[in-house]
Amino acid sequence: MADFVQLVVLGLLAGGVYVAVGIGFGLVWGVLNIVNLAHGALVIIGGYITWQLFSAFHIDPFLSLPVDAVALFVLGYTLQRGVINRIIRAPLLFTFLLTFGLNLVIINVLLLMFGSDFRSVTPSYSGQGLELGNVVVPYTRLASLGVAILTAAALAFVLNRTRIGLAINAISADRDAAQLVGIDLRHAYAMTYGLGAACAGVAGGLIAMIQAITPTAGEPYTLQAFVVVILGGLGRVSATVVGGLAFGLVEAFGQSIPGSGSVFANAIAFGLMVLVLVTRPQGLMGRLR
Amino acid sequence: MSDMRNGVSPEPLLEVRRLTAGFDAGPVLFGIDLEVAPSELVALVGANGAGKSTLLGVLSGLVRATSGSISLAGEDVTNARPEVLVRKGVAHVPQGRRLFGTMSVEKNLLLGAYLRRDGEIRGDLVRVLDLFPALKDKLSREAGTLSGGEQQMVAIGRGLMARPKLLMVDELSLGLAPKVVDHLIEVIQQINREGTALILVEQDVLVALDAANRAYVLENGRVALSGKAADVKEDPGVRRAYLGL
């Protein structure tokens, strides 16, 4: 029983990271119809910012998360406005190729700047945890889950309660009609990608506290974000939260099967994605549009 | 067919000169000349594929002009961006309503005022509901669940919320019952009387010609005929081709 509870706790905590990685990816996919293959690379930029601030200035990694968000927002806005907007009406394959190219560019710039060494952020409290009976809850992971949920809530607030959120929902529903009410498409697209990138930056900061990062460490996260968004369902932040937590749970239980490792856990998670696609293509929480 | 232009005020609100436009597949409009005076109701009629919707698209900035010029209140706005044109007072109610279907009626209407920052948006919402009382108890409904006529009301209302100088309505009557069309035309005329210039694009030529002051007949991307709506209605070619008389 204690093992079961421990697995649920670990799964939900791991799910926090997937939530953080998934919400930005899902926003960009749902609104811009871009499967952003550079998402993992954006995540890792956030990780390096947190690492740099921690190692050079001893800034607590949680305090550097807003810096990650702002920096990645600016980068994302600029990328969309300057580069991706040019092919936004092109077929999906073009955005695949472009974001794949961006992914390679970012990885190689990171290699130039930081080399390929493993970098990790280890604040004084990193090894500690809350012990509840036989169940251990690591502090950093617990806080990461909290930050991920807060980030998701903040994104949902922006999308549902602000003027730019209204514009983003409008372009997502009908691009031409949105233009006809006076929404500047280029700005709204860039804001969307910028918000997605900001979420990626926060995710990267969280990931840097949990694992050692290298310039290529983001690639699995692109794939996992894809699964998370499909699991939860495209188009709503809350659906991605459910998808992320579900993915974390599945992974935790997959890893607990005797003789299996993380590879097998991934196979189970992707198997679940295929199952969801076949039986419930709108995702666990999604609406058919 | 001869030019029967009449009653155009010396300073038109909208002035289109030798406008050419099209898509990758080829040009659609060839040298369009068109004028709309302030507070005039102009009908734009013609067969399917004549270029009516493309013309509205160019006027609202969705489609690029390849040559020619568009000026609004004396200012050149050729190929201005859609949001710039909305700000300058052009509102386009597109064919097929194009509402934000999963959003509430109220949100759709308020989105029409997206660029406005004045304090009179709520007051204008009340005015739109006075024009379309049927929408009053449907403000929180998802726009996509409304009937066709109600959706058209929301679409027109969304256009009005921008406080346009020129309102362009594409295919007002499409798919609607005659009674609903009559009602909408009355509202359109009331909007016009209150000072908004209107371009009414219609495949139902009779509906448009009866409502309008002046009319343009588009054929294959060219203005085939223009003049007072009553005169256009009496034109033998128009009677044969569009009115089945």
Side-chain angles (χ1 to χ4, degrees):
Chain A
M1 188 58 199
D3 283 353
F4 178 79
V5 174
Q6 179 76 65
L7 279 176
V8 169
V9 168
L10 285 179
L12 289 175
L13 294 179
V17 169
Y18 297 132
V19 169
V21 175
I23 47 177
F25 186 83
L27 175 70
V28 168
W29 187 4
V31 175
L32 305 182
N33 197 26
I34 293 173
V35 176
N36 182 20
L37 297 182
H39 192 74
L42 295 175
V43 166
I44 291 307
I45 295 177
Y48 273 105
I49 293 172
T50 287
W51 173 78
Q52 187 71 57
L53 291 175
F54 177 77
S55 60
F57 307 106
H58 308 289
I59 293 173
D60 185 276
F62 282 101
L63 295 182
S64 66
L65 292 177
V67 181
D68 300 346
V70 171
L72 268 293
F73 174 83
V74 171
L75 176 66
Y77 187 98
T78 311
L79 274 179
Q80 179 72 32
R81 188 102 194 201
V83 182
I84 307 173
N85 266 351
R86 294 175 188 282
I87 60 152
I88 195 75
R89 281 173 191 266
L92 197 60
L93 177 67
F94 286 82
T95 54
F96 255 82
L97 290 173
L98 179 62
T99 56
F100 183 68
L102 284 175
N103 179 54
L104 293 178
V105 170
I106 293 170
I107 287 173
N108 282 290
V109 169
L110 289 175
L111 275 169
L112 271 176
M113 291 171 67
F114 300 102
S116 55
D117 296 343
F118 285 92
R119 311 286 190 187
S120 52
V121 177
T122 49
S124 56
Y125 49 83
S126 65
Q128 298 166 18
L130 195 64
E131 284 183 39
L132 302 165
N134 292 325
V135 177
V136 180
V137 182
Y139 285 135
T140 46
R141 286 201 169 242
L142 184 63
S144 294
L145 175 62
V147 168
I149 301 291
L150 275 179
T151 308
L155 181 61
F157 178 84
V158 170
L159 290 177
N160 296 323
R161 292 277 178 272
T162 66
R163 195 173 123 88
I164 188 64
L166 189 62
I168 289 171
N169 280 311
I171 58 167
S172 168
D174 189 326
R175 176 151 66 195
D176 286 344
Q179 285 189 277
L180 291 181
V181 297
I183 291 166
D184 180 350
L185 209 55
R186 299 168 305 178
H187 173 67
Y189 278 162
M191 286 297 291
T192 308
Y193 198 91
L195 286 171
C199 294
V202 173
L206 298 177
I207 285 167
M209 291 180 240
I210 289 163
Q211 66 170 81
I213 55 170
T214 65
T216 55
E219 295 195 315
Y221 285 106
T222 302
L223 212 55
Q224 283 154 350
F226 187 69
V227 180
V228 163
V229 170
I230 287 179
L231 275 181
L234 199 57
R236 272 193 299 168
V237 177
S238 57
T240 308
V241 172
V242 171
L245 296 178
F247 187 83
L249 285 171
V250 169
E251 192 190 50
F253 280 93
Q255 280 171 346
S256 75
I257 297 169
S260 93
S262 62
V263 176
F264 192 52
N266 263 335
I268 293 174
F270 286 105
L272 182 71
M273 178 190 86
V274 172
L275 191 71
V276 166
L277 274 177
V278 171
T279 58
R280 204 177 148 75
Q282 71 271 42
L284 298 173
M285 296 273 290
R287 307 205 290 184
L288 277 179
R289 287 205 276 185
Chain B
M1 286 186 247
S2 62
D3 188 356
M4 298 189 287
R5 194 188 303 133
N6 263 316
V8 177
S9 77
E11 270 186 59
L13 173 65
L14 177 75
E15 191 169 13
V16 177
R17 287 288 165 254
R18 289 186 295 284
L19 182 76
T20 305
F23 302 95
D24 291 345
V28 178
L29 302 174
F30 305 88
I32 299 282
D33 284 302
L34 179 142
E35 283 166 20
V36 179
S39 72
E40 194 178 23
L41 204 173
V42 169
L44 190 58
V45 297
N48 223 341
K52 306 185 297 290
S53 294
T54 304
L55 178 53
L56 289 201
V58 179
L59 295 179
S60 59
L62 290 181
V63 180
R64 287 190 68 79
T66 43
S67 69
S69 69
I70 304 168
S71 65
L72 191 71
E75 186 185 0
D76 181 50
V77 293
T78 316
N79 286 331
R81 295 192 54 81
E83 65 271 14
V84 174
L85 289 162
V86 174
R87 209 183 285 281
K88 290 188 186 300
V90 178
H92 179 175
V93 180
Q95 191 175 345
R97 317 357 160 186
R98 304 291 286 272
L99 299 180
F100 304 108
T102 58
M103 293 188 204
S104 70
V105 169
E106 185 175 12
K107 261 193 179 171
N108 269 274
L109 292 173
L110 290 176
L111 262 165
Y114 182 77
L115 288 178
R116 290 175 51 189
R117 298 201 182 261
D118 55 87
E120 295 165 39
I121 293 174
R122 282 281 154 189
D124 282 2
L125 184 65
V126 171
R127 263 191 290 281
V128 166
L129 294 177
D130 285 341
L131 284 174
F132 302 112
L135 299 180
K136 269 184 187 157
D137 56 349
K138 297 196 169 72
L139 279 178
S140 56
R141 285 265 297 275
E142 273 190 19
T145 65
L146 266 52
S147 72
E150 288 163 348
Q151 290 196 22
Q152 189 64 281
M153 294 175 196
V154 178
I156 295 169
R158 187 176 66 183
L160 286 175
M161 288 298 289
R163 283 205 172 171
K165 296 191 187 93
L166 172 66
L167 180 68
M168 310 190 291
V169 183
D170 198 353
E171 297 296 0
L172 176 91
S173 71
L174 200 68
L176 302 180
K179 245 181 100 174
V180 178
V181 175
D182 288 347
H183 169 62
L184 288 176
I185 289 285
E186 273 171 33
V187 176
I188 289 283
Q189 287 176 314
Q190 186 185 339
I191 293 165
N192 177 240
R193 276 196 302 275
E194 287 167 10
T196 307
L198 260 141
I199 297 180
L200 187 58
V201 167
E202 269 293 338
Q203 277 189 60
D204 191 331
V205 176
L206 203 54
V207 164
L209 292 182
D210 281 342
N213 312 124
R214 282 192 314 118
Y216 289 81
V217 181
L218 242 56
E219 275 174 15
N220 298 318
R222 294 182 169 83
V223 176
L225 178 70
S226 65
K228 282 186 177 166
D231 296 342
V232 170
K233 199 177 157 188
E234 294 308 318
D235 182 84
V238 169
R239 289 171 73 84
R240 220 177 13 256
Y242 301 105
L243 303 177
L245 298 171

